[in-house]
């Protein structure tokens, strides 16, 4: 297991250490030492059940292929994240948009502007003066739209990496290592044979092309979902740190609030109080660090634009619509395919109705399971975690824009849980087939950088892939309600 752990940890950790000035050879040696320490201290977590692989050679072959793809993908992207002058190692080297687009630019610039005392971090001219994107080296600067508590993380990174490209290395390492830790810690929380199967199936997440691209872009969603999910799982036994994680993820990205709606519906009032208290404390700390005006600016200037979608003008651009995995984006695609009744206003109403229905679904799942109690055995915990993850994924689709490159990473994680929880070989390989389709879907939809207008074939590919992802998540919620422990 030690070589496997080293192969997973080494590339992002070495890049991150390089971001704080540690030479690459020293970073490699440090990673090897850390891998050995983890392997010695957490043998029960990191044990690969070779006996199970030996009993099921086909499943073992699938795992080996997925693990190899994950190592190659993360290793390749790590080279580009360490050296922006090596775009041939990027996730999609043939796509100019996917090489140059970097969500992280907005986070790093917001942290820099805040440190310089700029009065309004939500002023579009700070990022795109006159509507023209600035550039940091070969990367285009993105717009900043996040709630104030989010700024705590990039602000902390900036304390150790003030140069943008150093910041980029450290941020990449944080996101990659948080994702890896989340995959393994969730498997440990599930426990038993089921937990070990979950650890094995996690290789599918690393093998997904969307994971590589999401890590390359630095989009926060690939960190917000693990933080919220693990926070709620951890809060079952340690309410203070777990509630703080969930509260911060909610305050930083907003859509995890749907998981809080679910918790309220369970009527576990002590946990609700912990989450509310943690949220208030985090907001107060943010105000102490960055000033209360940041909250005023967000509520006054940014929230109205987020609500009406004007914060994301690319949602109306013809070549971007196929890549928008939000419900609003789905409605726009259907309009382009000939459903004339779905104009802009109707699309917004569809998105609002979806949010209301999702809140009802999350509350219903909590209400139905309120008297059941929390499962303590593997299969029950797996279904519970899958339901929580499905609610998070569905909530992430409610915003005006969800990039296809990162929008389905959570769904791929959910599918890996369903693969691990399959009770028969046919079910496992069936879910594996669905995973391959969902994970590879992003490769079939060209980005706006390819200069192609969306054809009906491209639009239908995007629509069917999006409906499939939504269907998988809805199925996971209904499956838990129907078979709750």
């Amino acid at each position: 297991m030690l070589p496997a752990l080293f192969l997973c940890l080494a590339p992002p950790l070495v890049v991150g250490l390089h971001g704080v000035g540690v030479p690459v050879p020293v970073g490699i040696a440090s990673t090897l030492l850390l891998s050995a320490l983890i392997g010695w201290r957490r043998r029960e977590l990191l044990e690969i059940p070779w006996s199970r692989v030996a009993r099921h050679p086909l499943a073992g072959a699938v795992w080996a292929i997925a693990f190899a793809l994950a190592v190659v993908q993360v290793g390749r992207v790590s080279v580009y994240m360490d050296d922006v002058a090596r775009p041939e190692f990027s996730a999609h080297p043939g796509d100019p948009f996917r090489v140059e687009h970097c969500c992280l630019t907005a986070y790093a610039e917001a942290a820099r502007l805040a440190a310089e005392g700029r009065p309004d971090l939500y002023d579009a001219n700070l990022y795109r003066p006159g509507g023209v994107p600035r550039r940091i080296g070969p990367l285009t600067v993105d717009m900043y739209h996040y709630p104030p508590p989010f700024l705590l993380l990039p602000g902390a990174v900036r304390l150790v990496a003030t140069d943008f490209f150093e910041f980029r290395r450290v941020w990449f390492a944080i996101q990659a290592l948080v994702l890896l830790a989340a995959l393994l810690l969730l498997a440990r929380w599930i426990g038993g044979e089921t937990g070990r199967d979950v650890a094995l199936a996690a290789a599918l997440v690393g093998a997904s092309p969307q994971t590589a691209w999401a890590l390359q872009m630095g989009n926060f969603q690939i960190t917000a979902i693990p933080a919220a999910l693990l926070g709620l799982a951890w809060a079952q036994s340690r309410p203070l740190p777990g509630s703080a994680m969930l509260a911060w993820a909610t305050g930083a990205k907003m859509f995890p609030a749907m998981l809080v709606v679910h918790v309220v519906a369970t009527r576990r009032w002590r946990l609700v109080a912990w989450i509310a208290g943690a949220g208030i404390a985090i907001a107060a700390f943010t105000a102490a660090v960055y000033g209360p005006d940041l909250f005023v600016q967000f509520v006054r200037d940014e929230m109205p634009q987020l609500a009406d979608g004007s914060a994301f003008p690319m949602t109306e651009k013809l070549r971007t619509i196929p890549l928008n995995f939000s419900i609003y984006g789905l409605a726009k695609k259907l309009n382009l395919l000939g459903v004339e009744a779905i104009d802009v206003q109707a699309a917004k109403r569809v998105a609002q109705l979806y949010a209301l229905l999702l809140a009802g679904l999350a509350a219903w799942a909590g209400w139905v399971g309120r008297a059941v109690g929390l499962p303590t055995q593997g299969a029950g915990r797996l279904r519970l975690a899958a339901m929580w993850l499905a609610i998070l994924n569905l909530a992430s689709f409610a915003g005006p824009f969800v990039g296809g490159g990162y929008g389905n990473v959570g769904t791929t994680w959910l599918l890996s849980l369903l693969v691990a929880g399959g009770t028969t070989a046919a079910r496992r390989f069936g879910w594996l087939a669905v995973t391959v389709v969902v994970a590879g879907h992003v490769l079939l939809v060209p980005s706006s950088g390819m200069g192609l207008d969306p054809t009906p074939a491209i639009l239908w590919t995007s629509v069917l892939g999006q409906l499939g992802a939504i269907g998988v998540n809805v199925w996971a919620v209904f499956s838990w309600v129907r078979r709750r422990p």
Side-chain angles (χ1 to χ4, degrees), residues 92-474:
H92 300 274
D95 188 329
F97 172 80
R98 287 171 171 160
V99 170
E100 298 174 2
H101 181 70
C102 180
C103 303
L104 172 61
T105 53
Y107 315 158
E109 284 296 276
R112 179 182 67 82
L113 293 167
E116 293 175 357
R118 293 296 180 95
D120 188 356
L121 299 184
Y122 299 104
D123 181 359
N125 286 317
L126 293 173
Y127 309 91
R128 298 189 173 185
V132 179
R134 292 193 293 108
R135 300 183 76 87
I136 302 178
L139 306 177
T140 57
V141 175
D142 210 359
M143 293 291 296
Y144 183 72
H145 301 293
Y146 284 75
F150 168 75
L151 198 58
L152 292 173
L153 180 58
V157 173
R158 196 176 187 279
L159 294 176
V160 297
T162 55
D163 175 77
F164 171 75
F165 293 105
E166 293 174 350
F167 190 109
R168 181 172 176 258
R169 294 185 184 110
V170 175
W171 186 269
F172 168 71
I174 290 172
Q175 289 205 293
L177 296 176
V178 165
L179 179 61
L180 175 61
L183 294 171
L184 294 177
L185 289 174
L186 184 66
R188 183 172 184 258
W189 182 75
I190 290 170
E193 290 291 318
T194 304
R196 285 192 283 271
D197 287 344
V198 167
L200 284 171
L204 297 171
V205 180
S208 167
Q210 298 186 40
T211 300
W213 190 25
L215 290 173
Q216 178 180 303
M217 288 190 295
N219 190 279
F220 180 59
Q221 183 158 316
I222 199 173
T223 301
I225 289 178
L229 180 62
L230 282 184
L232 184 52
W234 198 4
Q236 310 310 313
S237 56
R238 291 180 172 84
L240 177 56
S243 298
M245 283 179 64
L246 176 55
W248 177 72
T250 300
K253 192 64 175 171
M254 293 195 294
F255 73 77
M258 203 61 73
L259 205 56
V260 179
V261 171
H262 168 78
V263 175
V264 171
T266 64
R267 303 191 344 186
R268 299 176 62 198
W269 304 121
R270 182 173 295 181
L271 181 55
V272 172
W274 275 109
I275 296 171
I280 293 170
I282 290 169
F285 181 70
T286 305
V289 174
Y290 295 107
D293 286 348
L294 189 60
F295 287 86
V296 175
Q297 293 160 7
F298 179 74
V299 173
R300 182 192 63 204
D301 303 330
E302 191 64 22
M303 282 193 69
Q305 296 185 61
L306 293 173
D308 64 17
S310 59
F312 302 96
M314 63 281 206
T315 57
E316 308 304 320
K317 293 182 179 179
L318 185 64
R319 292 176 180 175
T320 306
I321 289 174
L323 287 171
N324 187 359
F325 265 52
S326 71
I327 297 301
Y328 179 78
L330 176 62
K332 293 288 291 184
K333 285 174 238 181
L334 293 175
N335 177 261
L336 289 178
L337 286 168
V339 185
E340 297 180 0
I342 306 180
D343 57 13
V344 172
Q345 293 304 316
K348 291 180 179 179
R349 288 193 294 271
V350 168
Q352 292 167 355
L353 177 61
Y354 171 84
L356 289 174
L357 291 174
L358 177 56
L361 180 66
W364 177 59
W367 179 263
V368 170
R370 71 190 187 281
V372 175
L374 294 171
T376 57
Q377 49 92 20
R381 280 194 167 184
L382 186 149
R383 289 197 298 273
L384 181 62
M387 183 266 292
W388 288 341
L389 182 53
I391 290 174
L392 283 169
N393 292 334
L394 291 168
S396 73
F397 300 148
F401 183 81
V402 182
Y406 60 83
N408 268 347
V409 172
T411 302
T412 304
W413 189 6
L414 171 63
L415 282 164
S416 76
L417 299 181
L418 298 179
V419 170
T423 54
T424 66
R427 288 184 177 179
R428 291 191 176 201
F429 281 98
W431 284 121
L432 177 64
V434 176
T435 305
V436 171
V437 172
V438 170
H441 179 260
V442 66
L443 302 177
L444 303 177
V445 182
S447 80
S448 57
M450 301 302 288
L452 300 174
D453 289 337
T455 63
I458 291 174
L459 289 169
W460 275 117
T461 299
S462 181
V463 166
L464 293 176
Q466 188 174 351
L467 289 175
I470 293 170
V472 167
N473 286 283
V474 171

Side-chain angles (χ1 to χ4, degrees), residues 16-81:
L17 290 173
H18 192 203
V20 294
V22 176
V24 171
V26 177
I28 294 174
S30 301
T31 304
L32 183 59
L33 179 63
L34 179 62
S35 300
L37 179 63
I38 295 174
W40 175 63
R41 292 293 302 273
R42 295 295 183 184
R43 291 184 294 273
E44 79 286 354
L45 171 64
L46 301 172
E47 176 191 5
I48 290 293
W50 296 113
S51 60
R52 294 178 68 82
V53 173
R55 292 198 305 269
H56 304 283
L58 183 57
V62 170
W63 174 81
I65 292 171
F67 180 77
L69 283 173
V71 170
V72 169
Q73 281 206 127
V74 175
R76 172 184 179 142
V77 170
S78 296
V79 175
Y80 180 54
M81 297 306 289

